[in-house]
């Protein structure tokens, strides 16, 4: 389900690695929800070759580490656990700033998104937002051993086909699948990647189209973010992006704010809802469309046994 106003084109600056990257390593970000096993995976990949500090100006911990996959070298950046890229917390803002930094040379070439296999829908909500930002993503579907014990079967080939990203079964505690996930991330790092674009319905899409036209026409923040992503964030009422837009081009920002207010007023009057709620609903709708038709199967007998054990 594609967005009618967004072109499927590669992100500027992505593609073949630079000589420096080939020599010093490819930057790969490690993202995921809290308690998904991300830190365990990071430790398994990097071992003793990691260093810990804080991100500039904040107390959020910054962890980086070197790893190897065959002849390739990677610099893994372990991002704080988060459920979204909307900066309600300092951790969420840090994650977004790492994925879309002011300095393009510091941008990760790909993201390994570690997902708890038992809660795929929740984990994919973050993955959708990372793909909307234009980052290549490899899904490390973690804790697969626990999912199997619970009677859950996940068709990862079908998940990959429907979502458009590559998915790998992993068990971070034992190391299962980690080498494969890293190898795929290094492969994706060398490919151009177009941002994910989905439809947000008959109310949002026309406003989004108008805003994208303004953003692309003015070149507003397009050196840092995809135009459609900037428009979505402005519609959602993202104060950080609004401030950045105003600083870059006050007149264009005012025009975009007028569109946002018009949309917000329409949604409040007709549906008694807000733009960010509608966008969230359509993201989950997209995720549900990905997960249907045999991606997840459950053994009901094991479900009943697990329920009996809990009682």
């Amino acid at each position: 389900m594609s967005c009618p106003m967004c072109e499927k084109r590669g992100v500027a600056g992505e593609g073949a690695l630079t000589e420096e990257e080939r020599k010093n390593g490819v930057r790969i970000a490690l993202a995921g929800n809290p308690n998904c096993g991300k830190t365990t995976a990071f430790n398994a990949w990097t071992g003793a070759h990691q260093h810990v500090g804080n991100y500039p100006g904040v107390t959020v911990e910054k962890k980086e580490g070197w790893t190897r996959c065959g002849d390739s070298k990677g610099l893994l950046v372990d991002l704080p656990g988060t459920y979204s890229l909307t900066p309600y917390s300092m951790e969420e803002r840090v994650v977004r700033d790492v994925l879309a930094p002011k300095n393009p040379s510091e941008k990760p070439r790909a993201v390994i998104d570690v997902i708890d296999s038992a809660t795929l829908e929740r984990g994919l909500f973050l993955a959708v937002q990372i793909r909307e930002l234009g980052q290549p993503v490899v899904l490390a579907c973690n804790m697969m051993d626990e999912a199997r014990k619970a009677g859950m079967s996940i068709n990862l080939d079908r998940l990959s086909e429907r979502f458009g990203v590559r998915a790998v079964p992993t068990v971070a505690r034992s190391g299962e699948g980690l080498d494969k996930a890293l190898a795929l991330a290094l492969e994706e790092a060398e490919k151009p990647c177009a941002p994910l674009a989905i439809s947000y319905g008959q109310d949002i899409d026309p406003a989004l189209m108008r805003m994208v036209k303004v953003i692309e026409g003015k070149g507003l923040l397009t050196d840092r973010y995809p135009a459609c992503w900037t428009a979505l964030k402005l519609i959602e009422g993202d104060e950080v992006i609004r401030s950045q837009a105003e600083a870059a081009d006050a007149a264009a920002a005012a025009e975009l704010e007028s569109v946002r207010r018009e949309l917000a007023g329409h949604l409040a009057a007709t549906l008694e809802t807000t733009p960010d709620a509608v966008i969230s609903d359509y993201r989950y709708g997209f995720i549900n469309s990905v997960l249907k038709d045999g991606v997840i199967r459950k053994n009901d007998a094991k479900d009943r046994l697990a329920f009996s054990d809990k009682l």
Side-chain angles (χ1 to χ4, degrees):
M1 185 164 56
S2 63
C3 171
M5 74 290 296
C6 296
E7 298 179 16
K8 294 289 186 178
R9 59 173 178 261
V11 175
E14 292 190 355
L17 301 180
T18 65
E19 286 301 319
E20 182 179 356
E21 287 174 319
R22 294 186 186 282
K23 178 181 178 181
N24 298 323
V26 182
R27 186 182 295 267
I28 304 292
L30 194 58
N33 298 160
N35 303 315
C36 66
K38 177 172 60 65
T39 298
T40 301
F42 174 78
N43 290 336
W45 272 313
T46 60
H49 305 288
Q50 57 182 257
H51 44 94
V52 180
N54 286 337
Y55 288 96
V58 297
T59 58
V60 178
E61 188 176 75
K62 179 180 183 181
K63 295 172 66 178
E64 295 181 341
W66 295 103
T67 187
R68 283 195 173 276
C69 181
D71 295 331
S72 300
K73 186 178 181 181
L75 173 62
L76 289 183
V77 182
D78 185 18
L79 301 177
T82 182
Y83 293 104
S84 78
L85 296 184
T86 301
Y88 293 128
S89 69
M90 186 57 66
E91 286 77 10
E92 289 168 331
R93 182 167 181 175
V94 162
V95 170
R96 202 166 76 181
D97 287 347
V98 171
L99 295 180
K102 292 180 180 179
N103 184 351
S105 67
E106 297 176 354
K107 182 179 179 179
R109 281 294 194 132
V111 179
I112 300 175
D113 188 6
V114 182
I115 294 179
D116 182 348
S117 296
T119 56
L120 268 184
E121 183 183 43
R122 185 174 66 189
L124 287 175
F125 190 74
L126 176 61
V128 166
Q129 294 175 76
I130 296 173
R131 284 292 297 112
E132 286 177 326
L133 191 53
Q135 282 282 8
V137 171
V138 171
L139 297 177
C141 296
N142 199 35
M143 304 181 187
M144 283 296 289
D145 54 340
E146 298 296 327
R148 295 175 191 128
K149 289 179 182 178
M152 179 183 293
S153 174
I154 303 174
N155 187 332
L156 294 182
D157 289 337
R158 191 161 182 80
L159 173 61
S160 298
E161 176 186 350
R162 295 182 68 89
F163 192 24
V165 303
R166 299 158 96 176
V168 181
T170 63
V171 180
R173 289 174 300 191
S174 67
E176 176 187 337
L178 295 184
D179 288 345
K180 179 66 173 178
L182 180 59
L184 291 180
L186 290 169
E187 287 182 19
E188 294 299 316
E190 297 195 57
K191 300 177 183 178
C193 182
L196 173 68
I198 65 177
S199 172
Y200 291 97
Q202 61 183 2
D203 295 307
I204 299 286
D205 282 352
L208 196 58
M209 189 180 301
R210 291 168 59 190
M211 296 176 77
V212 167
K213 186 176 180 179
V214 172
I215 292 168
E216 290 187 333
K218 300 291 186 179
L220 185 66
L221 304 179
T222 51
D223 58 336
R224 187 170 180 181
Y225 312 114
C228 195
W229 187 87
T230 300
L232 281 171
K233 288 295 145 187
L234 291 173
I235 289 174
E236 289 177 309
D238 189 310
E239 289 297 322
V240 174
I241 298 301
R242 183 186 62 79
S243 296
Q244 291 178 1
E246 288 179 345
D249 189 328
E255 185 177 353
L256 295 169
E257 174 61 13
S258 176
V259 177
R260 187 202 69 79
R261 287 181 179 176
E262 179 184 334
L263 173 63
H266 169 71
L267 291 175
T270 59
L271 300 175
E272 297 184 348
T273 188
T274 59
D276 58 313
V278 174
I279 290 172
S280 180
D281 285 345
Y282 271 89
R283 284 191 180 123
Y284 274 117
F286 170 76
I287 291 168
N288 288 330
S289 74
V290 167
L291 294 181
K292 69 179 183 181
D293 295 335
V295 172
I296 299 177
R297 297 185 183 278
K298 292 185 178 181
N299 185 326
D300 292 337
K302 288 194 174 184
D303 281 346
R304 288 194 295 269
L305 178 60
F307 181 67
S308 298
D309 288 343
K310 289 176 182 177
L311 286 178

